Amino acid sequence: MLYNPAKLSLINTVILLRSCSIIIQIVLVAFVHLFLEYDLPWLPIFFIIALEALFNIGCYLYCKVNIDKQKLNLFIQLLADICFLGCLLYFSGGATNSFVSLLLIPIAIAAVTLPTLQLTLITTYALLTYSLLLWLMPMHVMHGNMQGHFIGMWINFIFSAAVVSLVISRMAKAIISNEITIAKYREKQLKQEKIIALGLASAQVTHDLATPLATIRLLTDELMEETHNPSILAELNVQVERCSNNLHSFREMSLEIKNNVKQLINIDSLFEQIKNHSNLNYPNVDVEYDLPDTTSKGLFLTSDSSLLPAILNVLNNAIKASAKKQLQKVSFASKVMNEQLHLSIRDFGKGFSAEHFNQIGHNPIHSEQGLGMAMFLSNASFERLGGRLTLSNHPQGGALVMISLPLQPPAQICSKAVK
C-alpha cells in the first residue's frame, strides 16, 4: 500500500515517521554489528526496537478506531518516542552517542502541533532524559577534557531545545493565525461578492418594474373614468401606488447604503415600526411582544436603512414558518444587556434542520422555513452593522432567532447631537 503524506492526518504522519525510524534503527544496528564490530548489548537493543514496533502497530490500530483527542494521542506518542530513544541511547553509549541530538525531533514536532503546556512537558522530559544519560555515564569516560566537552554538549542541547520550543512554536502560531485571517478575509470577500451580485440583480429588477407600474397606473386612471363601478379600480390603484412607493423607498435606501449614510435610531421608534409592519401586513397573526419600557432611557442604535428590512425579513420568515403548521402565532422579545440590544424571534413551526445550521449566513438556500436570499442578506446586514445573528431550536418546538446589535454610548449620542 502506497502512502501519500499530503493526505495523512497528523497522527498517521507521526506513525509513518516512527515506522521509518524503526527501519533505520534496524539497519544501523546491523551495520554496527557486522561492519564496525562494536561490542554492544544487542539483546536489550533488539528488545527495545521490537517493543517500539509493537507500540507503533498498537497506535495505528487504536487511532484507526478512535479519531478523537488527537492532541492527547500525539502527546503520549511523543513521550513514548523520547522514552524509546533514551533507552536505545543508554545501551549504545549514552550521552556520548552522536545520535543524542535526535531528542530534539519530538520537541520540534510538539512545537508545531501541541499547546504550550504539552510542549513544555515534552521539552522538560527530553531535557531530563539527556541529563539522566549524562548522569549515568561511567566515571572512566568523564576524565580530563572530556568532562567539559560532554557538559558543553549538554548545555548546547538545553539552548537548542529552548530555541526550538520557543521560536518554532511562535512561528507556527503566527503562521496559523495568518492562515485563519486570510481564510476569514476570503470568506468575507466571497460573501461581499454574492451580496453585490444580489444587489445588482435587485436594482435591475427595480428598474424593470418601474415602467410597467407607471403604465398600469395610467391604465387604471383611464378605466376609472369609463367604468360604472370604480371601487375595484380604486383598490387596484391603491395597490399600484403602494408598489410605486415601495420602489421609491428601495431606491432611497440603496442610495443611502451606497453612500454609507448612518443615523441614530431610537429603539422605541424601531419597535413601533415593527409593530406597524406586522399589524398592516399580517393582521390575523398573533405577535406576542415582550418589550421593555425604555422610553425614559433614550437608547439609540447607529444604523442605516438596511436595519429595519433585515429585522422584518426574520419576522416574516417566522410568521410563514408558523403558518405552515396552521399556527398564526409568533413571539417577539427584546432586552438590553451589556450595551447591546438583544432581539429574539420565535416561531412555532418545524424548526431548523442540520443543513440550515451549516449553510445559513454563508449561502442562500431554499427551504420550507424561507431561509433564502432574504435571510442571507439580513445576516450580512447585521454583520455589517456590528451585530450578530444566532440560530437555534426552541426546547418547546419551533425555531429561535437571536439578533444582537450594539447600542450607541450616551457620550457619542450627545456629541452627535451637538454637531
Side-chain angles (χ1 to χ4, degrees), residues 145-189:
N145 294 330
M146 296 305 296
Q147 181 178 2
H149 173 71
F150 293 138
I151 294 176
M153 290 178 57
W154 175 68
I155 296 174
N156 179 67
F157 181 84
I158 294 176
F159 177 76
S160 301
V163 171
V164 169
S165 59
L166 294 176
V167 177
I168 293 183
S169 63
R170 288 183 178 272
M171 292 176 62
K173 291 179 181 179
I175 292 174
I176 293 174
S177 178
N178 290 336
E179 289 179 351
I180 294 175
T181 303
I182 293 173
K184 289 182 178 180
Y185 175 77
R186 289 177 178 174
E187 182 180 356
K188 184 177 180 181
Q189 187 178 21

mmCIF file of all heavy atoms in Angstrom, residues 145-189:
data_model
loop_
_atom_site.group_PDB
_atom_site.id
_atom_site.type_symbol
_atom_site.label_atom_id
_atom_site.label_comp_id
_atom_site.label_asym_id
_atom_site.label_seq_id
_atom_site.Cartn_x
_atom_site.Cartn_y
_atom_site.Cartn_z
ATOM 1 N N ASN A 145 39.654 16.436 29.689
ATOM 2 C CA ASN A 145 38.859 17.449 28.991
ATOM 3 C C ASN A 145 37.509 16.927 28.504
ATOM 4 O O ASN A 145 36.659 17.716 28.093
ATOM 5 C CB ASN A 145 39.649 18.001 27.802
ATOM 6 C CG ASN A 145 40.879 18.760 28.247
ATOM 7 O OD1 ASN A 145 40.890 19.345 29.335
ATOM 8 N ND2 ASN A 145 41.916 18.754 27.419
ATOM 9 N N MET A 146 37.325 15.598 28.524
ATOM 10 C CA MET A 146 36.072 15.031 28.029
ATOM 11 C C MET A 146 34.897 15.433 28.910
ATOM 12 O O MET A 146 33.769 15.568 28.418
ATOM 13 C CB MET A 146 36.172 13.505 27.971
ATOM 14 C CG MET A 146 37.216 13.000 26.981
ATOM 15 S SD MET A 146 36.956 13.672 25.293
ATOM 16 C CE MET A 146 35.373 12.955 24.912
ATOM 17 N N GLN A 147 35.136 15.604 30.197
ATOM 18 C CA GLN A 147 34.043 16.011 31.081
ATOM 19 C C GLN A 147 33.503 17.388 30.677
ATOM 20 O O GLN A 147 32.292 17.584 30.572
ATOM 21 C CB GLN A 147 34.532 16.046 32.527
ATOM 22 C CG GLN A 147 33.434 16.430 33.523
ATOM 23 C CD GLN A 147 33.933 16.406 34.959
ATOM 24 O OE1 GLN A 147 35.110 16.138 35.201
ATOM 25 N NE2 GLN A 147 33.039 16.675 35.905
ATOM 26 N N GLY A 148 34.396 18.334 30.425
ATOM 27 C CA GLY A 148 33.961 19.645 29.962
ATOM 28 C C GLY A 148 33.281 19.575 28.608
ATOM 29 O O GLY A 148 32.330 20.318 28.337
ATOM 30 N N HIS A 149 33.751 18.672 27.730
ATOM 31 C CA HIS A 149 33.140 18.517 26.402
ATOM 32 C C HIS A 149 31.706 18.030 26.517
ATOM 33 O O HIS A 149 30.794 18.559 25.858
ATOM 34 C CB HIS A 149 33.977 17.549 25.576
ATOM 35 C CG HIS A 149 33.350 17.197 24.256
ATOM 36 N ND1 HIS A 149 33.259 18.094 23.216
ATOM 37 C CD2 HIS A 149 32.771 16.043 23.824
ATOM 38 C CE1 HIS A 149 32.655 17.518 22.190
ATOM 39 N NE2 HIS A 149 32.361 16.258 22.537
ATOM 40 N N PHE A 150 31.472 17.009 27.347
ATOM 41 C CA PHE A 150 30.121 16.458 27.488
ATOM 42 C C PHE A 150 29.188 17.456 28.175
ATOM 43 O O PHE A 150 28.004 17.553 27.808
ATOM 44 C CB PHE A 150 30.172 15.151 28.282
ATOM 45 C CG PHE A 150 30.882 14.054 27.548
ATOM 46 C CD1 PHE A 150 31.763 13.216 28.210
ATOM 47 C CD2 PHE A 150 30.672 13.854 26.193
ATOM 48 C CE1 PHE A 150 32.426 12.198 27.539
ATOM 49 C CE2 PHE A 150 31.332 12.834 25.507
ATOM 50 C CZ PHE A 150 32.215 12.012 26.181
ATOM 51 N N ILE A 151 29.702 18.190 29.158
ATOM 52 C CA ILE A 151 28.871 19.220 29.794
ATOM 53 C C ILE A 151 28.535 20.327 28.798
ATOM 54 O O ILE A 151 27.416 20.854 28.774
ATOM 55 C CB ILE A 151 29.590 19.775 31.040
ATOM 56 C CG1 ILE A 151 29.722 18.690 32.109
ATOM 57 C CG2 ILE A 151 28.834 20.975 31.600
ATOM 58 C CD1 ILE A 151 30.493 19.123 33.338
ATOM 59 N N GLY A 152 29.494 20.667 27.944
ATOM 60 C CA GLY A 152 29.226 21.660 26.904
ATOM 61 C C GLY A 152 28.160 21.183 25.929
ATOM 62 O O GLY A 152 27.298 21.963 25.502
ATOM 63 N N MET A 153 28.209 19.885 25.572
ATOM 64 C CA MET A 153 27.161 19.335 24.702
ATOM 65 C C MET A 153 25.798 19.398 25.380
ATOM 66 O O MET A 153 24.781 19.676 24.731
ATOM 67 C CB MET A 153 27.510 17.889 24.339
ATOM 68 C CG MET A 153 28.695 17.739 23.395
ATOM 69 S SD MET A 153 29.081 16.007 23.072
ATOM 70 C CE MET A 153 27.528 15.402 22.428
ATOM 71 N N TRP A 154 25.793 19.131 26.689
ATOM 72 C CA TRP A 154 24.527 19.181 27.437
ATOM 73 C C TRP A 154 23.969 20.602 27.466
ATOM 74 O O TRP A 154 22.770 20.804 27.260
ATOM 75 C CB TRP A 154 24.792 18.667 28.852
ATOM 76 C CG TRP A 154 23.618 18.758 29.775
ATOM 77 C CD1 TRP A 154 22.459 18.055 29.703
ATOM 78 C CD2 TRP A 154 23.497 19.613 30.916
ATOM 79 N NE1 TRP A 154 21.620 18.409 30.727
ATOM 80 C CE2 TRP A 154 22.237 19.368 31.490
ATOM 81 C CE3 TRP A 154 24.350 20.551 31.518
ATOM 82 C CZ2 TRP A 154 21.788 20.028 32.632
ATOM 83 C CZ3 TRP A 154 23.916 21.214 32.657
ATOM 84 C CH2 TRP A 154 22.651 20.949 33.203
ATOM 85 N N ILE A 155 24.827 21.600 27.691
ATOM 86 C CA ILE A 155 24.385 22.996 27.676
ATOM 87 C C ILE A 155 23.905 23.393 26.282
ATOM 88 O O ILE A 155 22.900 24.100 26.118
ATOM 89 C CB ILE A 155 25.529 23.914 28.154
ATOM 90 C CG1 ILE A 155 25.876 23.616 29.614
ATOM 91 C CG2 ILE A 155 25.160 25.381 27.982
ATOM 92 C CD1 ILE A 155 27.078 24.380 30.124
ATOM 93 N N ASN A 156 24.606 22.926 25.265
ATOM 94 C CA ASN A 156 24.185 23.215 23.886
ATOM 95 C C ASN A 156 22.827 22.603 23.587
ATOM 96 O O ASN A 156 21.994 23.214 22.889
ATOM 97 C CB ASN A 156 25.236 22.685 22.917
ATOM 98 C CG ASN A 156 24.842 22.926 21.467
ATOM 99 O OD1 ASN A 156 24.770 24.055 20.997
ATOM 100 N ND2 ASN A 156 24.584 21.830 20.756
ATOM 101 N N PHE A 157 22.582 21.404 24.135
ATOM 102 C CA PHE A 157 21.276 20.767 23.924
ATOM 103 C C PHE A 157 20.178 21.572 24.612
ATOM 104 O O PHE A 157 19.081 21.747 24.053
ATOM 105 C CB PHE A 157 21.306 19.335 24.464
ATOM 106 C CG PHE A 157 20.009 18.597 24.272
ATOM 107 C CD1 PHE A 157 19.725 17.970 23.079
ATOM 108 C CD2 PHE A 157 19.060 18.545 25.294
ATOM 109 C CE1 PHE A 157 18.522 17.299 22.894
ATOM 110 C CE2 PHE A 157 17.865 17.874 25.120
ATOM 111 C CZ PHE A 157 17.592 17.242 23.920
ATOM 112 N N ILE A 158 20.442 22.053 25.814
ATOM 113 C CA ILE A 158 19.453 22.867 26.522
ATOM 114 C C ILE A 158 19.135 24.128 25.726
ATOM 115 O O ILE A 158 17.968 24.509 25.554
ATOM 116 C CB ILE A 158 19.972 23.221 27.930
ATOM 117 C CG1 ILE A 158 20.088 21.966 28.796
ATOM 118 C CG2 ILE A 158 19.040 24.234 28.605
ATOM 119 C CD1 ILE A 158 20.676 22.224 30.161
ATOM 120 N N PHE A 159 20.172 24.789 25.218
ATOM 121 C CA PHE A 159 19.964 26.005 24.423
ATOM 122 C C PHE A 159 19.174 25.690 23.152
ATOM 123 O O PHE A 159 18.242 26.424 22.780
ATOM 124 C CB PHE A 159 21.317 26.624 24.080
ATOM 125 C CG PHE A 159 21.216 27.834 23.205
ATOM 126 C CD1 PHE A 159 20.806 29.053 23.722
ATOM 127 C CD2 PHE A 159 21.522 27.759 21.849
ATOM 128 C CE1 PHE A 159 20.706 30.177 22.917
ATOM 129 C CE2 PHE A 159 21.417 28.870 21.040
ATOM 130 C CZ PHE A 159 21.012 30.091 21.576
ATOM 131 N N SER A 160 19.518 24.587 22.468
ATOM 132 C CA SER A 160 18.813 24.217 21.230
ATOM 133 C C SER A 160 17.350 23.883 21.509
ATOM 134 O O SER A 160 16.455 24.275 20.751
ATOM 135 C CB SER A 160 19.511 23.020 20.576
ATOM 136 O OG SER A 160 20.851 23.320 20.270
ATOM 137 N N ALA A 161 17.106 23.156 22.608
ATOM 138 C CA ALA A 161 15.725 22.804 22.955
ATOM 139 C C ALA A 161 14.913 24.058 23.267
ATOM 140 O O ALA A 161 13.731 24.168 22.874
ATOM 141 C CB ALA A 161 15.718 21.855 24.153
ATOM 142 N N ALA A 162 15.523 25.023 23.969
ATOM 143 C CA ALA A 162 14.815 26.263 24.279
ATOM 144 C C ALA A 162 14.496 27.046 23.017
ATOM 145 O O ALA A 162 13.386 27.576 22.852
ATOM 146 C CB ALA A 162 15.652 27.112 25.240
ATOM 147 N N VAL A 163 15.453 27.109 22.092
ATOM 148 C CA VAL A 163 15.218 27.835 20.842
ATOM 149 C C VAL A 163 14.124 27.171 20.021
ATOM 150 O O VAL A 163 13.218 27.835 19.488
ATOM 151 C CB VAL A 163 16.529 27.925 20.028
ATOM 152 C CG1 VAL A 163 16.253 28.466 18.630
ATOM 153 C CG2 VAL A 163 17.529 28.816 20.741
ATOM 154 N N VAL A 164 14.176 25.840 19.925
ATOM 155 C CA VAL A 164 13.172 25.122 19.138
ATOM 156 C C VAL A 164 11.784 25.294 19.747
ATOM 157 O O VAL A 164 10.807 25.575 19.038
ATOM 158 C CB VAL A 164 13.545 23.628 19.045
ATOM 159 C CG1 VAL A 164 12.383 22.822 18.462
ATOM 160 C CG2 VAL A 164 14.782 23.447 18.190
ATOM 161 N N SER A 165 11.684 25.132 21.077
ATOM 162 C CA SER A 165 10.372 25.186 21.717
ATOM 163 C C SER A 165 9.781 26.593 21.708
ATOM 164 O O SER A 165 8.555 26.753 21.598
ATOM 165 C CB SER A 165 10.467 24.672 23.156
ATOM 166 O OG SER A 165 11.383 25.454 23.900
ATOM 167 N N LEU A 166 10.612 27.622 21.799
ATOM 168 C CA LEU A 166 10.106 28.989 21.842
ATOM 169 C C LEU A 166 9.912 29.581 20.453
ATOM 170 O O LEU A 166 8.828 30.053 20.101
ATOM 171 C CB LEU A 166 11.050 29.875 22.660
ATOM 172 C CG LEU A 166 11.145 29.548 24.163
ATOM 173 C CD1 LEU A 166 12.180 30.440 24.828
ATOM 174 C CD2 LEU A 166 9.790 29.727 24.829
ATOM 175 N N VAL A 167 10.983 29.541 19.655
ATOM 176 C CA VAL A 167 10.932 30.213 18.347
ATOM 177 C C VAL A 167 10.007 29.491 17.384
ATOM 178 O O VAL A 167 9.132 30.112 16.749
ATOM 179 C CB VAL A 167 12.360 30.321 17.761
ATOM 180 C CG1 VAL A 167 12.304 30.940 16.374
ATOM 181 C CG2 VAL A 167 13.257 31.147 18.682
ATOM 182 N N ILE A 168 10.175 28.180 17.256
ATOM 183 C CA ILE A 168 9.356 27.438 16.285
ATOM 184 C C ILE A 168 7.883 27.469 16.680
ATOM 185 O O ILE A 168 7.002 27.592 15.814
ATOM 186 C CB ILE A 168 9.877 25.994 16.157
ATOM 187 C CG1 ILE A 168 11.272 25.996 15.526
ATOM 188 C CG2 ILE A 168 8.917 25.146 15.329
ATOM 189 C CD1 ILE A 168 11.834 24.628 15.284
ATOM 190 N N SER A 169 7.604 27.355 17.979
ATOM 191 C CA SER A 169 6.205 27.395 18.400
ATOM 192 C C SER A 169 5.576 28.751 18.083
ATOM 193 O O SER A 169 4.425 28.814 17.627
ATOM 194 C CB SER A 169 6.101 27.092 19.892
ATOM 195 O OG SER A 169 6.764 28.079 20.654
ATOM 196 N N ARG A 170 6.318 29.827 18.325
ATOM 197 C CA ARG A 170 5.781 31.159 17.998
ATOM 198 C C ARG A 170 5.590 31.330 16.500
ATOM 199 O O ARG A 170 4.597 31.913 16.041
ATOM 200 C CB ARG A 170 6.704 32.240 18.539
ATOM 201 C CG ARG A 170 6.670 32.379 20.060
ATOM 202 C CD ARG A 170 7.564 33.512 20.522
ATOM 203 N NE ARG A 170 7.491 33.680 21.964
ATOM 204 C CZ ARG A 170 6.595 34.437 22.593
ATOM 205 N NH1 ARG A 170 5.698 35.091 21.871
ATOM 206 N NH2 ARG A 170 6.586 34.548 23.903
ATOM 207 N N MET A 171 6.541 30.842 15.709
ATOM 208 C CA MET A 171 6.403 30.945 14.257
ATOM 209 C C MET A 171 5.209 30.134 13.762
ATOM 210 O O MET A 171 4.456 30.576 12.881
ATOM 211 C CB MET A 171 7.696 30.465 13.590
ATOM 212 C CG MET A 171 8.895 31.383 13.832
ATOM 213 S SD MET A 171 10.424 30.725 13.118
ATOM 214 C CE MET A 171 9.972 30.695 11.371
ATOM 215 N N ALA A 172 5.035 28.930 14.328
ATOM 216 C CA ALA A 172 3.907 28.086 13.915
ATOM 217 C C ALA A 172 2.580 28.751 14.255
ATOM 218 O O ALA A 172 1.639 28.768 13.437
ATOM 219 C CB ALA A 172 4.007 26.718 14.583
ATOM 220 N N LYS A 173 2.480 29.329 15.470
ATOM 221 C CA LYS A 173 1.247 30.004 15.850
ATOM 222 C C LYS A 173 1.002 31.230 14.976
ATOM 223 O O LYS A 173 -0.154 31.527 14.631
ATOM 224 C CB LYS A 173 1.315 30.405 17.320
ATOM 225 C CG LYS A 173 1.270 29.221 18.278
ATOM 226 C CD LYS A 173 1.373 29.665 19.728
ATOM 227 C CE LYS A 173 1.340 28.473 20.671
ATOM 228 N NZ LYS A 173 1.469 28.874 22.097
ATOM 229 N N ALA A 174 2.073 31.941 14.621
ATOM 230 C CA ALA A 174 1.911 33.107 13.747
ATOM 231 C C ALA A 174 1.418 32.690 12.367
ATOM 232 O O ALA A 174 0.548 33.352 11.775
ATOM 233 C CB ALA A 174 3.240 33.858 13.641
ATOM 234 N N ILE A 175 1.955 31.588 11.847
ATOM 235 C CA ILE A 175 1.524 31.111 10.533
ATOM 236 C C ILE A 175 0.062 30.679 10.570
ATOM 237 O O ILE A 175 -0.724 31.001 9.659
ATOM 238 C CB ILE A 175 2.424 29.948 10.079
ATOM 239 C CG1 ILE A 175 3.847 30.463 9.795
ATOM 240 C CG2 ILE A 175 1.858 29.270 8.836
ATOM 241 C CD1 ILE A 175 4.843 29.371 9.492
ATOM 242 N N ILE A 176 -0.320 29.950 11.633
ATOM 243 C CA ILE A 176 -1.715 29.512 11.756
ATOM 244 C C ILE A 176 -2.650 30.706 11.873
ATOM 245 O O ILE A 176 -3.728 30.746 11.264
ATOM 246 C CB ILE A 176 -1.861 28.574 12.972
ATOM 247 C CG1 ILE A 176 -1.097 27.268 12.731
ATOM 248 C CG2 ILE A 176 -3.328 28.268 13.239
ATOM 249 C CD1 ILE A 176 -1.072 26.348 13.930
ATOM 250 N N SER A 177 -2.220 31.715 12.665
ATOM 251 C CA SER A 177 -3.043 32.919 12.807
ATOM 252 C C SER A 177 -3.197 33.649 11.475
ATOM 253 O O SER A 177 -4.292 34.122 11.135
ATOM 254 C CB SER A 177 -2.404 33.844 13.845
ATOM 255 O OG SER A 177 -3.136 35.035 13.970
ATOM 256 N N ASN A 178 -2.119 33.721 10.706
ATOM 257 C CA ASN A 178 -2.208 34.370 9.390
ATOM 258 C C ASN A 178 -3.120 33.594 8.450
ATOM 259 O O ASN A 178 -3.893 34.195 7.685
ATOM 260 C CB ASN A 178 -0.812 34.500 8.785
ATOM 261 C CG ASN A 178 0.052 35.508 9.516
ATOM 262 O OD1 ASN A 178 -0.461 36.416 10.162
ATOM 263 N ND2 ASN A 178 1.364 35.352 9.433
ATOM 264 N N GLU A 179 -3.045 32.256 8.500
ATOM 265 C CA GLU A 179 -3.906 31.443 7.639
ATOM 266 C C GLU A 179 -5.371 31.625 8.005
ATOM 267 O O GLU A 179 -6.240 31.700 7.128
ATOM 268 C CB GLU A 179 -3.501 29.975 7.749
ATOM 269 C CG GLU A 179 -2.157 29.654 7.100
ATOM 270 C CD GLU A 179 -1.781 28.194 7.256
ATOM 271 O OE1 GLU A 179 -2.487 27.490 8.012
ATOM 272 O OE2 GLU A 179 -0.797 27.759 6.628
ATOM 273 N N ILE A 180 -5.654 31.705 9.314
ATOM 274 C CA ILE A 180 -7.032 31.929 9.744
ATOM 275 C C ILE A 180 -7.525 33.296 9.285
ATOM 276 O O ILE A 180 -8.659 33.450 8.810
ATOM 277 C CB ILE A 180 -7.138 31.784 11.272
ATOM 278 C CG1 ILE A 180 -6.865 30.339 11.690
ATOM 279 C CG2 ILE A 180 -8.509 32.230 11.768
ATOM 280 C CD1 ILE A 180 -6.830 30.134 13.189
ATOM 281 N N THR A 181 -6.658 34.298 9.407
ATOM 282 C CA THR A 181 -7.033 35.651 8.972
ATOM 283 C C THR A 181 -7.298 35.694 7.471
ATOM 284 O O THR A 181 -8.272 36.304 7.015
ATOM 285 C CB THR A 181 -5.923 36.645 9.336
ATOM 286 O OG1 THR A 181 -5.681 36.600 10.747
ATOM 287 C CG2 THR A 181 -6.307 38.060 8.946
ATOM 288 N N ILE A 182 -6.434 35.036 6.712
ATOM 289 C CA ILE A 182 -6.625 35.003 5.256
ATOM 290 C C ILE A 182 -7.904 34.259 4.889
ATOM 291 O O ILE A 182 -8.653 34.684 3.995
ATOM 292 C CB ILE A 182 -5.398 34.353 4.585
ATOM 293 C CG1 ILE A 182 -4.159 35.250 4.758
ATOM 294 C CG2 ILE A 182 -5.656 34.103 3.108
ATOM 295 C CD1 ILE A 182 -2.880 34.614 4.275
ATOM 296 N N ALA A 183 -8.173 33.148 5.596
ATOM 297 C CA ALA A 183 -9.388 32.382 5.315
ATOM 298 C C ALA A 183 -10.641 33.210 5.612
ATOM 299 O O ALA A 183 -11.611 33.202 4.835
ATOM 300 C CB ALA A 183 -9.394 31.096 6.129
ATOM 301 N N LYS A 184 -10.620 33.945 6.743
ATOM 302 C CA LYS A 184 -11.764 34.791 7.073
ATOM 303 C C LYS A 184 -11.916 35.914 6.047
ATOM 304 O O LYS A 184 -13.043 36.272 5.669
ATOM 305 C CB LYS A 184 -11.590 35.387 8.468
ATOM 306 C CG LYS A 184 -11.737 34.367 9.596
ATOM 307 C CD LYS A 184 -11.600 35.041 10.951
ATOM 308 C CE LYS A 184 -11.786 34.040 12.077
ATOM 309 N NZ LYS A 184 -11.648 34.678 13.416
ATOM 310 N N TYR A 185 -10.790 36.471 5.598
ATOM 311 C CA TYR A 185 -10.857 37.545 4.591
ATOM 312 C C TYR A 185 -11.439 37.022 3.276
ATOM 313 O O TYR A 185 -12.270 37.687 2.645
ATOM 314 C CB TYR A 185 -9.466 38.121 4.367
ATOM 315 C CG TYR A 185 -9.404 39.150 3.268
ATOM 316 C CD1 TYR A 185 -9.857 40.450 3.474
ATOM 317 C CD2 TYR A 185 -8.896 38.812 2.010
ATOM 318 C CE1 TYR A 185 -9.816 41.392 2.471
ATOM 319 C CE2 TYR A 185 -8.844 39.750 0.990
ATOM 320 C CZ TYR A 185 -9.306 41.047 1.223
ATOM 321 O OH TYR A 185 -9.268 41.961 0.212
ATOM 322 N N ARG A 186 -10.996 35.819 2.888
ATOM 323 C CA ARG A 186 -11.521 35.248 1.651
ATOM 324 C C ARG A 186 -13.013 34.954 1.767
ATOM 325 O O ARG A 186 -13.786 35.197 0.826
ATOM 326 C CB ARG A 186 -10.753 33.966 1.311
ATOM 327 C CG ARG A 186 -9.315 34.217 0.856
ATOM 328 C CD ARG A 186 -8.595 32.914 0.615
ATOM 329 N NE ARG A 186 -7.234 33.133 0.124
ATOM 330 C CZ ARG A 186 -6.349 32.168 -0.056
ATOM 331 N NH1 ARG A 186 -6.673 30.903 0.200
ATOM 332 N NH2 ARG A 186 -5.126 32.452 -0.505
ATOM 333 N N GLU A 187 -13.409 34.423 2.936
ATOM 334 C CA GLU A 187 -14.832 34.141 3.139
ATOM 335 C C GLU A 187 -15.650 35.429 3.101
ATOM 336 O O GLU A 187 -16.724 35.480 2.500
ATOM 337 C CB GLU A 187 -15.020 33.432 4.474
ATOM 338 C CG GLU A 187 -16.462 33.055 4.769
ATOM 339 C CD GLU A 187 -16.610 32.361 6.105
ATOM 340 O OE1 GLU A 187 -15.569 32.116 6.763
ATOM 341 O OE2 GLU A 187 -17.749 32.070 6.496
ATOM 342 N N LYS A 188 -15.129 36.471 3.742
ATOM 343 C CA LYS A 188 -15.818 37.748 3.729
ATOM 344 C C LYS A 188 -15.883 38.333 2.330
ATOM 345 O O LYS A 188 -16.903 38.904 1.916
ATOM 346 C CB LYS A 188 -15.106 38.722 4.670
ATOM 347 C CG LYS A 188 -15.800 40.069 4.808
ATOM 348 C CD LYS A 188 -15.071 40.950 5.809
ATOM 349 C CE LYS A 188 -15.763 42.297 5.963
ATOM 350 N NZ LYS A 188 -15.057 43.168 6.925
ATOM 351 N N GLN A 189 -14.797 38.157 1.563
ATOM 352 C CA GLN A 189 -14.779 38.674 0.197
ATOM 353 C C GLN A 189 -15.788 37.942 -0.680
ATOM 354 O O GLN A 189 -16.497 38.560 -1.475
ATOM 355 C CB GLN A 189 -13.372 38.539 -0.383
ATOM 356 C CG GLN A 189 -13.194 39.211 -1.740
ATOM 357 C CD GLN A 189 -11.774 39.101 -2.240
ATOM 358 O OE1 GLN A 189 -11.025 38.222 -1.804
ATOM 359 N NE2 GLN A 189 -11.382 39.977 -3.141
#
